[in-house]
């Protein structure tokens, strides 16, 4: 019994040595490695903070280096001089119409948290195409070729806005998926070689744009993007130029899209179309 | 037994304890954490960039295996703005954009965060679509030595070195400097048609105490790049590429190459313009060894192909601008023949009224009855109507691998005589009488190719040997 006591005592001493003996480190909590200093803000930065960061929690990222993008692609940030006007344009043609119909905090609640501005074209390797915009994980939208906006040409402004509405619709779809029935309308005509279709061929097959034929998710958002960047009359004219079969298919798809907005957001898509198109016209010189 | 087990247990604990207390003898290569080192670099770089109130100058080679270097002048201010000019394009006016010094992957990075065209045109040429010069807007800080700050381009591994500008008025002197170096670059490819020869070749000659090594240089003005070829005593050829930058060194016009040319133990990088040389010449001298870049007139081809292609020549030789251009048509032929005909048309009929659309030469070696003739065509702008004219030569002949023929006059009484003066430069080009001229050199150039077209037709060139600045490239048909 006495021996057992000695052994227990010896083991306790050893454990104590184990716990305390190796403690050579005198590390303490050090200063943070994260730069928390206040950045130098230009007038433009202040404007962006009060128009995007504060009300909508959206960061407009227009200052960036090669490491912030796909380094294999030759991209560069937008010219500073065009940032405020383009930001105002997307606020007028996207944020305000949605908020007007969906509620003041519609965009603040469902929104990409970062919008990136790129000045040049994003050319796709081994493909005769350029990428107009990217939506990543529902949190970030990147616009390309913004240095080439021409506010005297409605098509020049319409194109990136179509990208915006397209990418934002993807984000809405991530929150509220659309019905599987949509993909059953033209399942056999989706193709990875969408860029070989002319606009007319796409319309005749029941796709509002050639890119809509790439897959059902793109098809769905292309209807939205096209509607929200054209007047009702223009949209009807586009649909009217399709073959009878194509027209019937596009209208069937449009019905599902309109119902999707009504059921999930209580937004009348036709009313939204009026607001966004009017704002597009007002954004021009 | 129990006692033995307890002792073994205690001994084990002791061993574990001793082993766990092993002192870590790993040596620290760096004194500070990586993040601290980068923070220090950021601070160091910021101090360096702001230390020069008149900014920096330097040459940026985005990718010296493909393209040459561009001169930059930059002036950084504490409010994170930077004035920039460069000589990449003719618009050398300053831009005022933003920069940041940020934490990069392994070092501090200088990032030009908003689009100065001087930077972005190298990334992607907006004016020319996707035509990249392999540039970047992010540069990793590599260090400072003797006032020279070195950066590495994070995308293409290009090198960008900045040194204090030495200007007293950055805004005006930087632009003036960029204009000078831009002009130097243009001057390098300017051709003086009074002295030029299509057999001129850029040569880089290295003379090491009489031991001469020659590099034939093919200069690509779009990429500002030399493709150099040398042949050793055994006849074995070797090729090497050099990025080129037309710059100023110590106030003198200079040409820098990257990478440096290594010959023996000598390394040549900077060549100074020799203002006394009769033709453009850049010279570098290192440890008494001289390297010279200059235009040298090489021997013309033998022209023996002419004898083999006589039958081919009896079909029609066609030059039509609409088929595209080929560098084998010399710039002086364009200037002194084609442009002059256009000017003559404008003078005769009003500016832009007619366009010179093509010519053909139908060679004949047997007849003096205008069967060996020049056919020309102009098109009226107003309605697209074409007007032809013919000019007669006596029979063509071949002597010592050269083609001879003599102009005898216009054919008929219509357009030929009317337009003879307009076409005088072209008639003169083909007028090479035996006995009083050196004739024309013909070369077979295989199938036709231009910047816009390629056809299976055999193509060839004709050079006027009495004015070796004039050479035309075309195809045979019929």
């Amino acid at each position: 019994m006495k021996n057992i006591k000695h052994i227990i005592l010896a083991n306790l001493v050893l454990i104590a040595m184990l716990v305390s003996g190796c403690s050579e480190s005198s590390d303490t909590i050090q200063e943070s490695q994260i730069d928390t200093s206040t950045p130098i803000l230009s007038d433009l930065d202040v404007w962006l903070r009060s128009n995007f960061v504060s009300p909508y929690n959206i960061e407009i990222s227009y200052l960036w280096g090669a490491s912030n993008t796909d380094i294999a692609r030759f991209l560069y940030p937008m010219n500073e001089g065009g940032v405020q006007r383009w930001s105002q344009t997307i606020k007028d043609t996207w944020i305000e119409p949605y908020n007007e119909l969906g509620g003041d905090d519609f965009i603040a609640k469902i929104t990409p948290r970062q919008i990136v501005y790129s000045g040049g074209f994003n050319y796709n390797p081994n493909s005769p195409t350029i990428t107009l915009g990217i939506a990543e994980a529902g949190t970030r939208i990147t616009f390309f070729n913004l240095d080439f906006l021409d506010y005297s040409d409605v098509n020049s402004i319409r194109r990136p806005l179509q990208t915006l509405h397209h990418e934002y619709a993807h984000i809405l779809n991530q929150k509220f998926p659309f019905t599987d029935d949509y993909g059953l309308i033209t399942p056999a005509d989706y193709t990875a070689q969408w860029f070989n279709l002319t606009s007319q061929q796409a319309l005749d097959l029941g796709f509002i744009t050639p890119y809509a034929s790439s897959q059902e998710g793109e098809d769905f958002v292309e209807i939205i993007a096209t509607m929200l960047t054209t007047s009702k009359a223009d949209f009807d004219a586009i649909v009217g130029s399709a073959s009878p079969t194509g027209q019937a298919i596009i209208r069937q798809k449009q019905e599902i899209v309109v119902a999707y907005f009504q059921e999930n957001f209580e937004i009348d898509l036709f009313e939204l179309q009026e607001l966004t198109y009017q704002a597009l016209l007002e954004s021009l010189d | 037994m129990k006692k033995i087990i307890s002792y073994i247990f205690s001994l084990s604990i002791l061993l574990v304890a001793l082993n766990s207390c092993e002192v870590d003898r790993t040596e620290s290569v760096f004194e500070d954490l990586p993040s601290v080192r980068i923070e220090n670099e950021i601070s160091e770089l910021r101090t360096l960039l702001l230390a020069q109130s008149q900014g920096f100058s330097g040459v940026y080679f985005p990718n010296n295996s493909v393209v040459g270097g561009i001169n930059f002048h930059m002036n950084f201010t504490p409010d994170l703005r930077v004035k920039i000019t460069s000589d990449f394009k003719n618009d050398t006016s300053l831009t005022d954009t933003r920069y940041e010094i940020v934490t990069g992957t392994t070092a501090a990075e200088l990032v030009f965060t908003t689009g100065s065209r001087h930077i972005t045109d190298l990334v992607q040429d907006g004016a020319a679509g996707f035509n990249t010069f392999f540039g970047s807007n992010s540069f990793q800080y590599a260090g400072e030595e003797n006032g020279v700050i070195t950066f590495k381009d994070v995308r293409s591994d290009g090198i960008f070195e900045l040194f204090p500008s030495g200007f007293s008025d950055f805004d005006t002197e930087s632009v003036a400097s960029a204009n000078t170096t831009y002009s130097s670059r243009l001057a390098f490819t300017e051709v003086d048609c009074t002295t030029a020869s299509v057999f001129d070749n850029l040569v880089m000659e290295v003379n090491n105490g009489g031991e001469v090594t020659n590099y034939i240089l093919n200069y690509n003005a779009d990429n500002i790049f030399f493709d150099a070829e040398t042949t050793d005593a055994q006849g074995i050829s070797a090729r090497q590429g050099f990025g080129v930058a037309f710059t100023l060194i110590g106030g003198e016009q200079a040409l820098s190459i990257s990478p440096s040319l290594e010959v023996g133990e000598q390394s040549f990088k900077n060549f100074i313009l020799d203002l006394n040389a009769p033709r453009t010449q850049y010279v570098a001298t290192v440890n008494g060894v001289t390297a010279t870049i200059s235009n040298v007139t090489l021997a013309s081809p033998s022209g023996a192909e002419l004898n083999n292609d006589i039958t081919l020549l009896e079909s029609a030789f066609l030059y039509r601008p609409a088929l595209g251009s080929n560098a084998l048509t010399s710039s002086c032929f364009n200037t002194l023949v084609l442009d002059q005909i256009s000017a003559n048309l404008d003078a005769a009929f009003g500016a832009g009224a007619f366009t010179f659309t093509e010519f053909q030469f139908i060679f004949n070696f047997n007849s003096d009855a205008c069967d060996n003739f020049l056919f020309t065509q102009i098109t009226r702008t107003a309605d697209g109507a074409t007007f032809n004219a013919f000019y007669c030569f006596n029979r063509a002949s071949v002597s010592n691998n050269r083609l001879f023929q003599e102009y005898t006059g216009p054919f008929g009484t219509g357009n030929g005589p009317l337009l003879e003066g307009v076409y005088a430069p072209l008639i003169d080009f083909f007028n090479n009488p035996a006995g009083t001229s050196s004739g024309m050199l013909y070369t077979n150039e295989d199938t036709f190719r231009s910047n816009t077209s390629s056809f299976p037709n055999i193509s060839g060139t004709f050079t006027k040997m009495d004015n070796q600045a004039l050479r035309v490239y075309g195809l045979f048909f019929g």
Side-chain angles (χ1 to χ4, degrees):
Chain A
M1 189 62 188
K2 195 180 173 188
N3 277 344
I4 290 173
K5 277 184 183 169
H6 284 157
I7 288 164
I8 290 170
L9 188 64
N11 281 329
L12 285 173
V13 170
L14 282 170
I15 288 165
M17 283 170 65
L18 269 174
V19 171
S20 64
C22 299
S23 176
E24 281 182 16
S25 169
S26 59
D27 282 355
T28 55
I29 296 174
Q30 294 184 341
E31 196 180 336
S32 171
Q33 300 301 322
I34 298 169
D35 182 5
T36 55
S37 59
T38 307
I40 295 174
L41 298 178
S42 65
D43 290 346
L44 175 60
D45 294 328
V46 172
W47 185 86
L48 289 171
R49 283 192 170 201
S50 57
N51 283 275
F52 284 87
V53 178
S54 300
Y56 308 115
N57 198 17
I58 297 172
E59 180 201 0
I60 299 292
S61 176
Y62 73 100
L63 302 167
W64 49 266
S67 312
N68 300 97
T69 60
D70 182 349
I71 197 120
R73 298 196 177 203
F74 288 85
L75 301 172
Y76 57 82
M78 183 185 187
N79 189 300
E80 190 181 12
V83 171
Q84 184 165 340
R85 181 155 191 191
W86 176 241
S87 301
Q88 185 68 56
T89 301
I90 65 175
K91 188 181 175 196
D92 293 344
T93 59
W94 166 55
I95 294 178
E96 290 182 355
Y98 266 99
N99 278 356
E100 188 173 331
L101 299 183
D104 287 345
D105 55 355
F106 187 91
I107 291 290
K109 278 183 178 169
I110 313 172
T111 192
R113 294 297 162 212
Q114 188 181 45
I115 297 178
V116 182
Y117 293 172
S118 180
F121 291 89
N122 185 359
Y123 286 82
N124 295 316
N126 309 315
S127 166
T129 59
I130 56 172
T131 298
L132 296 170
I134 299 172
E136 294 162 271
T139 59
R140 172 166 141 149
I141 290 178
T142 303
F143 289 107
F144 299 101
N145 45 290
L146 292 179
D147 280 354
F148 300 91
L149 296 179
D150 176 0
Y151 286 91
S152 65
D153 175 6
V154 68
N155 289 323
S156 172
I157 305 305
R158 189 201 315 271
R159 208 156 90 143
L161 288 178
Q162 195 159 354
T163 303
L164 172 63
H165 287 298
H166 173 111
E167 302 300 351
Y168 186 60
H170 277 312
I171 291 171
L172 295 177
N173 288 166
Q174 286 167 12
K175 188 160 181 70
F176 296 104
F178 58 87
T179 172
D180 291 342
D181 293 346
Y182 191 92
L184 301 177
I185 300 173
T186 48
D189 290 326
Y190 292 116
T191 171
Q193 306 301 312
W194 60 270
F195 46 80
N196 289 329
L197 285 182
T198 63
S199 296
Q200 189 59 51
Q201 287 169 329
L203 285 165
D204 292 346
L205 286 169
F207 299 107
I208 195 68
T209 63
Y211 188 52
S213 69
S214 61
Q215 50 178 286
E216 64 190 74
E218 304 301 341
D219 192 2
F220 190 91
V221 301
E222 278 291 278
I223 297 257
I224 298 168
T226 306
M227 282 184 71
L228 297 185
T229 51
T230 54
S231 65
K232 184 173 183 306
D234 288 345
F235 185 85
D236 289 345
I238 294 170
V239 178
S241 67
S243 66
T245 309
Q247 287 185 43
I249 292 170
I250 294 170
R251 290 301 184 193
Q252 191 184 352
K253 290 175 177 175
Q254 187 188 19
E255 241 175 67
I256 295 177
V257 172
V258 170
Y260 169 86
F261 268 77
Q262 193 62 53
E263 287 162 14
N264 291 294
F265 310 112
E266 294 180 4
I267 287 177
D268 178 344
L269 191 56
F270 293 108
E271 206 177 331
L272 184 62
Q273 180 182 29
E274 269 185 47
L275 294 177
T276 54
Y277 183 65
Q278 195 54 41
L280 164 60
L281 295 182
E282 286 169 8
S283 72
L284 302 174
D285 285 338
Chain B
M1 184 61 187
K2 215 174 183 178
K3 206 171 173 179
I4 292 169
I5 290 170
S6 297
Y7 277 123
I8 290 171
F9 176 71
S10 299
L11 196 63
S12 303
I13 295 280
L14 186 64
L15 281 172
V16 170
L18 290 172
N19 200 41
S20 67
C21 289
E22 183 184 13
V23 175
D24 184 357
R25 294 187 178 84
T26 306
E27 284 184 30
S28 291
V29 178
F30 300 104
E31 285 183 6
D32 298 314
L33 293 169
S35 55
V36 173
R37 291 202 311 278
I38 294 176
E39 272 305 314
N40 291 341
E41 281 186 355
I42 288 173
S43 174
E44 177 183 312
L45 180 56
R46 185 176 292 125
T47 304
L48 285 168
L49 294 179
L50 296 177
Q52 299 296 328
S53 63
Q54 294 300 322
F56 294 84
S57 298
V59 178
Y60 170 33
F61 283 95
N63 184 337
N64 67 2
S65 61
V66 194
V67 294
I70 303 300
N71 290 277
F72 272 88
H73 307 281
M74 300 178 165
N75 198 4
F76 300 86
T77 54
D79 61 350
L80 300 181
R81 301 202 71 87
V82 55
K83 287 183 177 177
I84 304 176
T85 182
S86 78
D87 64 358
F88 185 48
K89 292 187 171 180
N90 62 354
D91 183 357
T92 56
S93 58
L94 288 165
T95 59
D96 182 355
T97 52
R98 289 179 65 165
Y99 74 96
E100 281 181 33
I101 303 169
V102 302
T103 304
T105 314
T106 57
E109 277 181 15
L110 170 63
V111 182
F112 298 95
T113 48
T114 56
S116 160
R117 69 173 185 285
H118 294 295
I119 297 286
T120 60
D121 280 351
L122 297 177
V123 180
Q124 190 186 116
D125 192 334
F130 184 65
N131 179 21
T132 183
F133 213 70
F134 301 93
S136 177
N137 69 324
S138 299
F139 299 89
Q140 191 178 71
Y141 176 48
E144 183 267 345
E145 198 173 332
N146 300 323
V148 179
I149 308 172
T150 303
F151 297 95
K152 282 177 77 173
D153 164 353
V154 299
R155 179 183 280 121
S156 307
D157 272 347
I159 299 295
F160 192 3
E161 291 181 335
L162 288 177
F163 53 86
S165 71
F167 297 144
S168 53
D169 178 354
F170 177 85
D171 287 4
T172 53
E173 290 176 49
S174 62
V175 173
S177 178
N179 286 336
T180 300
T181 50
Y182 178 75
S183 298
S184 297
R185 174 149 59 92
L186 295 189
F188 192 66
T189 49
E190 276 173 8
V191 176
D192 179 356
C193 291
T194 61
T195 57
S197 163
V198 294
F199 308 115
D200 285 350
N201 238 299
L202 271 176
V203 173
M204 180 159 56
E205 180 191 280
V206 180
N207 190 332
N208 187 1
E211 187 186 334
V212 174
T213 310
N214 281 323
Y215 298 80
I216 304 297
L217 301 177
N218 183 12
Y219 177 63
N220 181 326
D222 291 333
N223 292 345
I224 323 176
F225 195 80
F226 281 148
D227 182 23
E229 182 178 13
T230 187
T231 306
D232 66 15
Q234 284 74 45
I236 298 170
S237 294
R239 302 181 85 93
Q240 189 179 356
F242 298 96
V244 181
F246 294 88
T247 188
L248 292 171
I249 296 175
E252 292 186 283
Q253 292 183 56
L255 180 158
S256 292
I257 57 173
S258 177
S260 301
L261 170 69
E262 309 292 340
V263 180
E265 294 178 354
Q266 312 306 331
S267 177
F268 300 94
K269 179 178 175 62
N270 297 320
F271 296 74
I272 305 297
L273 179 66
D274 181 354
L275 295 169
N276 298 319
R279 300 170 78 175
T280 302
Q281 177 169 292
Y282 287 87
V283 181
T285 303
V286 177
N287 298 327
V289 182
T290 300
T292 307
I293 294 172
S294 61
N295 252 316
V296 174
T297 303
L298 303 179
S300 61
S302 73
E305 296 151 76
L306 181 59
N307 304 296
N308 303 326
D309 288 338
I310 289 287
T311 310
L312 177 70
L313 262 63
E314 286 176 331
S315 61
F317 174 81
L318 168 68
Y319 175 85
R320 182 182 292 164
L323 296 180
S325 63
N326 183 306
L328 286 170
T329 296
S330 68
S331 59
C332 291
F333 186 86
N334 286 324
T335 309
L336 299 181
V337 178
L338 302 177
D339 292 351
Q340 187 57 53
I341 290 173
S342 295
N344 293 345
L345 284 170
D346 287 351
F349 304 106
F354 286 90
T355 306
F356 181 39
T357 36
E358 72 173 63
F359 74 81
Q360 298 172 23
F361 205 103
I362 292 82
F363 292 98
N364 185 295
F365 293 85
N366 303 305
S367 163
D368 292 326
C370 200
D371 292 316
N372 187 42
F373 65 93
L374 171 67
F375 160 82
T376 60
Q377 184 182 79
I378 55 175
T379 301
R380 188 162 57 201
T381 308
D383 57 5
T386 56
F387 298 86
N388 303 331
F390 299 85
Y391 300 94
C392 305
F393 291 72
N394 64 11
R395 74 186 67 189
S397 63
V398 173
S399 174
N400 294 323
N401 299 334
R402 299 290 183 264
L403 181 72
F404 295 92
Q405 58 195 2
E406 185 169 6
Y407 177 57
T408 55
F411 177 80
T413 56
N415 292 331
L418 178 69
L419 298 172
E420 188 181 25
V422 168
Y423 288 123
L426 188 60
I427 293 167
D428 185 56
F429 175 74
F430 282 108
N431 183 29
N432 298 279
T436 59
S437 82
S438 305
M440 299 184 89
L441 170 73
Y442 162 77
T443 61
N444 184 315
E445 302 294 340
D446 205 5
T447 57
F448 179 82
R449 63 208 178 281
S450 74
N451 61 336
T452 57
S453 318
S454 59
F455 302 116
N457 302 57
I458 295 297
S459 64
T461 70
F462 291 95
T463 305
K464 187 177 183 69
M465 296 307 286
D466 282 338
N467 183 352
Q468 294 179 11
L470 301 181
R471 179 173 65 194
V472 66
Y473 171 77
L475 61 82
F476 292 94
F477 75 100

